[in-house]
Amino acid sequence: MKLTQHTVRLVLAEPLRISRSTMAARDAVRLTIEHEGLSGHGEAVTSLFYGLDTPTLQRLAARTGERLGRFAAPETALHALRVGELDAPGTPAAVTAATEAALLDLVGKRTATAVHRFLGSPLAPRVATARTISLVSPGHAAVQARRLADAGFSVIKIKAGGPDQEADLDRVRAVRAAAPGARLLLDPNGAWSAAQARELLPRFHDLGVEAVEQPLAPGDPEALARLAARSPVPVIADEDAVTYEDARRLAGRVHGINVKLAKCGGVHAALRIAALIEGSGTDLMLGCLTASTLGIAPAVHIADRARWTDLDGHLLLAHDPWTGIGGEDGFVSAAGLPGLGVRPRTEAGIRRAAS
């Protein structure tokens, strides 16, 4: 097997402003694994929050390529990855997830099988996805919400945690008025203190917010659990629930856990967390980083397990270099084709580096 990597700049249609940062673009490193005339693809994206810049991802991808040479077939490499025998120690979850995606894509193409069937879903998942509105003015939020509702979106996620708490409330009011039938999720990205959360959550509850992601700064999951026990709005752990052990500590103590493949290590790791929390009173949310269709696709293949689905990262881009999961009408779906079922739109503008 041979691994090559390609880096492309993903530019957002408009900057995404959240409580801790504003992002206008990020790099995506595509991993391509070739074997016997077929290719499988996966994607890892840069992240300031997770400490992953472009050179780091490229270096780690090259290291993964060297280790893949030990395996005779993608099936054995995939098994080795899942039991911890492929990745070098210290490999970030994002790289593991991208490698797993490329191997799944390749194995699916070799066997003419869609990835969701490998993962236990006989039917191709098709689910409603949330669409994110960032820290924009209430007027801008209303325009966006109306456009999203007209396009078919039934779930809207609203960013919060700005310096003006009344502006956060006004933004939610504006979205509610513009899209009265939509389910509303709220995401302060850990911007509130416990006292602020206790004061604000009843007010957001009165506005019809269905759930709130990570209202408190990450690092104190016990405080998050205490807040969830008394919150009128269901509390979903995100930055405080990265690993399986994080999920184990919070199972049954928060209302949901936001599982992102790039932070847990891929679909196999995500399914382990889903099995762990099943029946505990904690529901699964599937989230994502801003990425192309290629980066979002693996999560779509397990999206039928989630109560909340937030797989809109590709919809935030000015140009998505891949296609195959939809989303523009408010629904993401696995195509039912072999592998991940995605394909490139164009090869223009891609910087290539072979490992």
Side-chain angles (χ1 to χ4, degrees):
M1 286 182 291
K2 177 185 178 183
L3 184 146
T4 57
Q5 54 174 290
H6 310 256
T7 301
V8 64
R9 189 73 168 164
L10 301 177
V11 179
L12 276 67
E14 65 176 65
L16 178 66
R17 182 183 170 213
I18 65 174
S19 60
R20 62 174 178 255
S21 64
T22 299
M23 182 181 64
R26 72 181 349 147
D27 279 353
V29 177
R30 180 200 311 172
L31 308 187
T32 297
I33 301 175
E34 301 172 64
H35 183 68
E36 296 182 344
L38 294 174
S39 299
H41 308 283
E43 179 181 274
V45 296
T46 54
S47 169
L48 182 63
F49 184 78
Y50 292 110
L52 295 175
D53 58 20
T54 306
T56 299
L57 288 176
Q58 291 171 336
R59 175 177 56 81
L60 294 170
R63 186 174 67 176
T64 296
E66 294 169 358
R67 297 174 72 90
L68 274 171
R70 304 175 184 178
F71 301 95
E75 291 83 359
T76 55
L78 183 61
H79 174 75
L81 180 141
R82 289 179 168 177
V83 299
E85 296 176 355
L86 172 56
D87 282 337
T91 298
V95 176
T96 301
T99 305
E100 182 195 44
L103 288 168
L104 282 169
D105 192 31
L106 180 54
V107 171
K109 290 171 180 174
R110 278 165 58 84
T111 59
T113 305
V115 164
H116 64 84
R117 296 185 66 87
F118 285 137
L119 303 175
S121 295
L123 300 178
R126 181 178 185 269
V127 299
T129 180
R131 180 68 158 76
T132 300
I133 294 177
S134 70
L135 292 179
V136 296
S137 70
H140 191 181
V143 170
Q144 290 183 323
R146 191 172 297 111
R147 185 175 69 245
L148 292 172
D150 289 345
F153 284 86
S154 59
V155 187
I156 297 175
K157 184 166 90 167
I158 308 163
K159 291 293 186 178
D164 184 348
Q165 294 169 7
E166 291 302 321
D168 285 346
L169 288 155
D170 287 343
R171 188 178 307 108
V172 173
R173 290 189 188 100
V175 171
R176 170 55 72 210
R183 299 163 56 199
L184 302 186
L185 306 177
L186 191 71
D187 187 6
N189 288 106
W192 296 339
S193 67
Q196 288 172 324
R198 288 193 296 269
E199 191 273 328
L200 288 168
L201 286 174
R203 301 177 70 184
F204 283 114
H205 174 265
D206 291 344
L207 295 175
V209 169
E210 178 177 317
V212 58
E213 288 181 58
Q214 196 67 43
L216 306 182
D220 190 352
E222 293 301 315
L224 192 69
R226 288 194 297 271
L227 178 67
R230 300 181 179 181
S231 173
V233 179
V235 172
I236 301 170
D238 184 356
E239 290 89 345
D240 268 329
V242 175
T243 67
Y244 182 89
E245 286 304 310
D246 294 337
R248 184 183 60 78
R249 283 190 289 270
L250 286 170
R253 306 177 67 206
V254 294
H255 303 92
I257 288 178
N258 186 353
V259 173
K260 298 174 182 173
L261 304 191
K263 72 176 183 178
C264 74
V267 292
H268 182 66
L271 290 175
R272 287 187 68 224
I273 293 173
L276 169 72
I277 64 176
E278 186 175 4
S280 71
T282 297
D283 290 315
L284 179 68
M285 179 177 189
L286 272 177
C288 65
L289 303 182
T290 304
S292 78
T293 282
L294 174 61
I296 305 298
V300 175
H301 283 267
I302 59 171
D304 51 353
R305 272 82 159 183
R307 174 177 173 181
W308 302 283
T309 301
D310 179 24
L311 299 177
D312 69 338
H314 62 306
L315 302 176
L316 305 180
L317 302 179
H319 171 69
D320 184 351
W322 290 78
T323 186
I325 59 172
E328 295 82 1
D329 62 350
F331 291 84
V332 289
S333 59
L337 301 173
L340 293 174
V342 301
R343 60 189 184 278
R345 292 183 193 271
T346 176
E347 296 295 326
I350 295 176
R351 306 190 299 274
R352 179 183 177 96
S355 64

